[in-house]
Amino acid sequence: MHKHIQKAAVLGSGVMGSGIAAHLANIGIPVLLLDIVPNDLTKEEEKRG
């Protein structure tokens, strides 16, 4: 019995997560990409923009 992937969710939008989501989307699978956004930037992150 073969089952086909109809949709996917990828947790984490870093290099690996975004790559996985892109590959799935490229073959026509709807993808939900989820990531946690920090509440505040650190001083170093603010300096970098």
Side-chain angles (χ1 to χ4, degrees), residues 21-37:
H23 283 293
L24 292 169
N26 282 336
I27 60 173
I29 297 173
V31 180
L32 177 64
L33 182 58
L34 301 172
D35 201 6
I36 295 172
V37 179

